[in-house]
Amino acid sequence: MHEPRRFPPHPELSARAHAQPDIYAKAAADPEAFWAEWAQQLYWEKPFTQVVDWQEPFARWFADGQLNASVNALDRHIAAGKGQRIAYYFEGERGDRRSVTYAELLQEVCRLANGMRKLGITAGDRVAIYLPMIIELPVAVLACARIGAIHSVIFGGFSADAIADRINDSGCVALITADGGYRRGNVLALKAICDEALRNTPSIKHCIVAQRTHEPVHMQAGRDIAWSALIADQPDTCTPAVMDAESLLFLLYTSGTTAKPKGIIHSTAGYLTGVSATHKLIFDYHEDDIYWCTADVGWITGHSYVIYGPLCNGATSVFYEGSPDFPERDRWWEIIARYKVSILYTAPTAIRTFMKWGDEHPARHDLASLRILGSVGEPINPEAWMWYREKIGNGRCAIVDTWWQTETGAIMISPLPGITHTPPGSATLPFPGLDIDVVDEHGTSVSEGVGYLVIRKPWPSMLRGIWGDPERYQATYWARFPHCYLAGDGARRDAEGHFWLLGRIDDVMNVSGHRIATTEVESALIEDQRVAEAAVTGKTDAVTGQAICAFVSLRGGANGSSELAAELRAHVAHSLGKFMAPKYIMFTPELPKTRSGKIMRRLLRDIVEGRTLGDTTTLADANVITELAQRAQQERASEAG
Ligand code: PRX
């Protein structure tokens, strides 16, 4: 675990960087003043006079101020004479392109916002959004923000049941979707998935349908309306709703340790403060940059660093619809060369996939425009970090490995590119103004060593709770250690104070940067009548970080087969989403349990990782585990062979 390499910032980058070395001491001396200064850079309808009000575990930031998020993302730049700047270079998977200026984006947002108002959608209503990566997605998000409706974006990979659950949890009144989308050359029939979901969503009054693929779709009279029809007569200006700083901006569901996802809620002003400050300082964003965050807007990274962060800073972004290997494996590098992208923000899974595909793909393109390379979503191993630095960054670029979560809203631990001497594989230091610590099981700070990652003070972009479930909010994040937010990650702090993220400490897996609870997959598996019991665990995977591995026992002691495994995979894909289907399924007559009947997950993890088995003395039947371990070993041998 010793990593002696350090990469100092490029002198040119340091010289003009927004963040200079005194930023840490200044922010530490008065964190509230630091955040207030960033908040003041937003456009306020009514300026705030209070900074933070902390009634643990509930924070209110800038609470007596008023503002509108869409005005901060759009109108402000137009008022400053920058309406003709490009907000997004849209690149369709099939090669169609479109540049959208700030002025045009605002017009589209206003027309949709007016249309939504005409339907009776109003401030505080929840609106679900299930769209592919097309410009209508940021338009829909910002149109909600304009009228004060709370958006709940659902990632386009989720199934009908998953959509219905999310809609019902918060009682959404409308759903915005599209006929379909393109992915790796295929058409995804999104509206058909929505039709299935909408059979069980009594709160939905309207379904707005954008056109992307132009394939025919079912339109239910009285409920469904084409996006184009809705906005046809709408003016391209729209008075923004004036919102309180603490009014909710959005809901975003993420996996916890139970089968029921948590609706994480974020407020307006604190969130915008966090994302705009971090976007500017961590990516050292300047007006001449071309910025590309490859995340899907369906996840928090897309909310904070495709939409709100870059738009609040008036940035020009690339917005790509499709997959990295369509039509060829050099698609991203071709895009970077064509738009002269200078800041790239992506995930370790993507980096490791490119490593596997081979150096020749990036090598064919001119990547000299790049200056900052970001990583997010999973721990990045030093090999992938070095490859990113050398093969993509040509040894010149700053690498920023950024740790954060849906709950934190904005990046929390990261290098600052003009300052930090970066070791490969470490997210390095807490962002200025934050109080982050590593503690042992008693909650005592570990100055050097391994422990639980906690946050000791409220921060502006922190979650404001879990939709409809304040007890779960308290129990999940604030109960383990007194007065500390529990992140759910393990971390090591080294002698220089650098943080090394070690992965989740709970029953949450991280597959390609997607957060998935073991229990979600288990409960989908046992929906199949033939399954008696299922236990799911993550298995280390060279590309995706972790892969989902399921142990399944069948009713009546039946034997499994590869056909049944395929059917179970298909069932999970249908019930949750394809990206949540287990890669490995191992049938077993019984699951390893304690004498009191508790499944011993720790042992299952040892088995899949091929580790020496931990303590088995409390097992009810030790034979089960021996047999499973032998079979897992055989499978590893045949995989390796
Ligand atoms: O385990 C950490 C991992 O992703 C989790 C948060 O997942 P999600 O809410 O989906 O947000 C992902 C994008 C912000 C964390 O608890 N994680 C995120 N970034 C890193 C990371 N693990 C290690 N290093 C990172 N840079």
Side-chain angles (χ1 to χ4, degrees):
M1 294 213 58
H2 186 62
E3 173 54 79
R5 290 173 288 192
R6 295 288 178 279
F7 294 94
H10 200 285
E12 233 174 79
L13 200 161
S14 297
R16 78 159 193 165
H18 292 300
Q20 293 295 326
D22 61 345
I23 191 171
Y24 287 107
K26 260 189 170 162
D30 192 347
E32 289 184 21
F34 173 82
W35 288 120
E37 217 173 281
W38 279 99
Q40 265 144 13
Q41 303 198 21
L42 297 173
Y43 176 82
W44 294 86
E45 303 286 346
K46 175 176 171 248
F48 64 92
T49 63
Q50 307 157 357
V51 180
V52 59
D53 167 25
W54 179 226
Q55 309 285 335
E56 187 185 317
F58 296 98
R60 292 160 56 78
W61 285 84
F62 320 118
D64 62 341
Q66 291 185 317
L67 76 177
N68 179 284
S70 77
V71 170
N72 274 282
L74 302 169
D75 308 57
R76 192 159 51 123
H77 309 307
I78 295 153
K82 296 181 182 164
Q84 294 318 305
R85 255 180 92 77
I86 305 288
Y88 292 118
Y89 285 116
F90 172 76
E91 171 94 9
E93 190 182 75
R94 314 212 297 184
D96 48 321
R97 293 182 194 134
R98 182 181 160 202
S99 320
V100 187
T101 65
Y102 274 88
E104 288 164 345
L105 194 58
L106 176 61
Q107 287 176 356
E108 291 200 30
V109 166
C110 288
R111 294 178 78 188
L112 183 65
N114 288 327
M116 289 168 72
R117 270 193 182 141
K118 201 176 91 184
L119 293 177
I121 301 169
T122 177
D125 283 345
R126 277 79 59 206
V127 174
I129 300 176
Y130 184 70
L131 281 168
M133 278 290 284
I134 54 177
I135 293 298
E136 283 79 355
L137 180 42
V139 170
V141 161
L142 294 168
C144 289
R146 192 142 196 104
I147 62 174
I150 300 167
H151 55 79
S152 172
V153 179
I154 302 169
F155 171 59
F158 277 114
S159 68
D161 287 352
I163 298 170
D165 287 348
R166 284 159 177 74
I167 286 176
N168 292 333
D169 186 63
S170 69
C172 295
V173 299
L175 168 64
I176 305 179
T177 187
D179 46 9
Y182 298 114
R183 185 80 195 176
R184 196 163 282 134
N186 299 317
V187 172
L188 298 175
L190 297 180
K191 178 60 166 58
I193 296 172
C194 289
D195 289 337
E196 198 185 325
L198 292 179
R199 286 207 287 262
N200 301 309
T201 53
S203 58
I204 293 282
K205 298 197 193 80
H206 307 284
C207 178
I208 301 167
V209 186
Q211 268 192 319
R212 173 63 180 149
T213 61
H214 297 267
E215 307 241 322
V217 293
H218 164 76
M219 295 291 279
Q220 184 173 306
R223 182 194 72 190
D224 299 353
I225 179 163
W227 176 306
S228 53
L230 180 66
I231 66 166
D233 306 323
Q234 295 303 328
D236 56 15
T237 57
C238 169
T239 311
V242 176
M243 305 301 291
D244 289 337
E246 277 297 321
S247 58
L248 296 189
L249 180 58
F250 68 88
L251 262 159
L252 185 60
Y253 285 83
T254 190
S255 295
T257 50
T258 71
K260 187 178 182 303
K262 303 177 280 198
I264 301 299
I265 49 185
H266 280 287
S267 74
T268 305
Y271 174 77
L272 294 181
T273 302
V275 298
S276 55
T278 50
H279 176 262
K280 187 149 182 188
L281 297 178
I282 293 169
F283 301 111
D284 190 37
Y285 172 74
H286 285 76
E287 254 193 26
D288 53 358
D289 277 309
I290 304 288
Y291 167 85
W292 184 17
C293 168
T294 65
D296 193 293
V297 170
W299 307 112
I300 190 69
T301 308
H303 284 59
S304 302
Y305 299 104
V306 174
I307 299 184
Y308 288 111
L311 292 181
C312 283
N313 289 329
T316 295
S317 295
V318 169
F319 189 106
Y320 175 50
E321 172 185 37
S323 77
D325 55 350
F326 191 86
E328 299 295 339
R329 289 176 165 181
D330 64 348
R331 183 67 185 268
W332 280 21
W333 318 122
E334 189 242 319
I335 291 175
I336 288 172
R338 184 146 34 79
Y339 294 106
K340 302 209 173 357
V341 171
S342 53
I343 304 169
L344 176 68
Y345 190 30
T346 191
T349 289
I351 298 165
R352 290 189 292 259
T353 303
F354 294 127
M355 286 171 77
K356 198 174 79 177
W357 286 347
D359 301 353
E360 65 273 23
H361 302 293
R364 270 207 299 278
H365 298 276
D366 178 7
L367 306 180
S369 54
L370 289 170
R371 55 183 209 96
I372 293 184
L373 302 175
S375 172
V376 61
E378 326 150 57
I380 180 164
N381 45 314
E383 298 72 37
W385 196 101
M386 288 303 297
W387 186 89
Y388 199 25
R389 180 181 155 84
E390 279 163 15
K391 305 297 175 191
I392 307 304
N394 197 18
R396 274 177 303 106
C397 298
I399 310 277
V400 288
D401 171 22
T402 62
W403 177 89
W404 58 297
Q405 311 176 298
T406 305
E407 291 88 338
T408 68
I411 299 171
M412 303 296 280
I413 305 181
S414 166
L416 288 173
I419 304 175
T420 317
H421 291 233
T422 4
S426 168
T428 70
L429 296 174
F431 187 77
L434 300 177
D435 188 352
I436 305 185
D437 201 358
V438 177
V439 299
D440 65 16
E441 63 268 34
H442 309 295
T444 310
S445 184
V446 177
S447 58
E448 202 185 324
V450 171
Y452 301 86
L453 188 70
V454 298
I455 307 172
R456 291 192 177 274
K457 285 217 179 77
W459 63 102
S461 64
M462 69 189 280
L463 74 166
R464 296 304 192 259
I466 296 175
W467 181 267
D469 204 345
E471 289 83 29
R472 190 177 181 191
Y473 169 60
Q474 158 77 36
T476 307
Y477 303 107
W478 299 95
R480 180 77 173 76
F481 300 113
H483 316 301
C484 284
Y485 167 89
L486 180 75
D489 281 45
R492 180 171 71 89
R493 183 157 44 194
D494 69 17
E496 287 166 79
H498 288 152
F499 287 71
W500 300 74
L501 279 307
L502 302 175
R504 301 288 305 187
I505 49 156
D506 50 16
D507 290 323
V508 173
M509 299 173 287
N510 190 327
V511 181
S512 303
H514 302 324
R515 197 165 143 180
I516 300 168
T518 54
T519 44
E520 284 177 281
V521 182
E522 285 164 4
S523 49
L525 285 166
I526 58 172
E527 280 164 12
D528 189 296
Q529 292 303 307
R530 292 164 292 186
V531 173
E533 279 187 306
V536 166
T537 181
K539 172 179 171 11
T540 305
D541 186 281
V543 174
T544 59
Q546 284 189 306
I548 304 175
C549 183
F551 294 87
V552 173
S553 70
L554 298 173
R555 281 178 199 262
N559 290 326
S561 64
S562 51
E563 290 76 28
L564 179 55
E567 283 174 39
L568 291 178
R569 262 185 215 110
H571 173 73
V572 177
H574 185 260
S575 140
L576 297 171
K578 233 190 201 156
F579 68 101
M580 293 174 84
K583 180 167 175 187
Y584 306 97
I585 294 185
M586 201 183 284
F587 294 103
T588 170
E590 250 179 286
L591 294 171
K593 286 190 189 148
T594 61
R595 289 186 195 97
S596 60
K598 234 178 129 219
I599 295 173
M600 293 188 72
R601 290 168 187 284
R602 181 176 48 76
L603 285 179
L604 293 175
R605 281 195 291 269
D606 288 344
I607 290 173
V608 298
E609 304 296 10
R611 288 192 291 249
T612 320
L613 295 180
D615 185 7
T616 56
T617 48
T618 51
L619 260 184
D621 178 1
N623 293 329
V624 176
I625 207 85
T626 322
E627 207 215 294
L628 278 174
Q630 279 166 358
R631 280 185 23 222
Q633 196 180 0
Q634 283 160 8
E635 287 193 16
R636 268 195 303 278
S638 68
E639 227 178 64

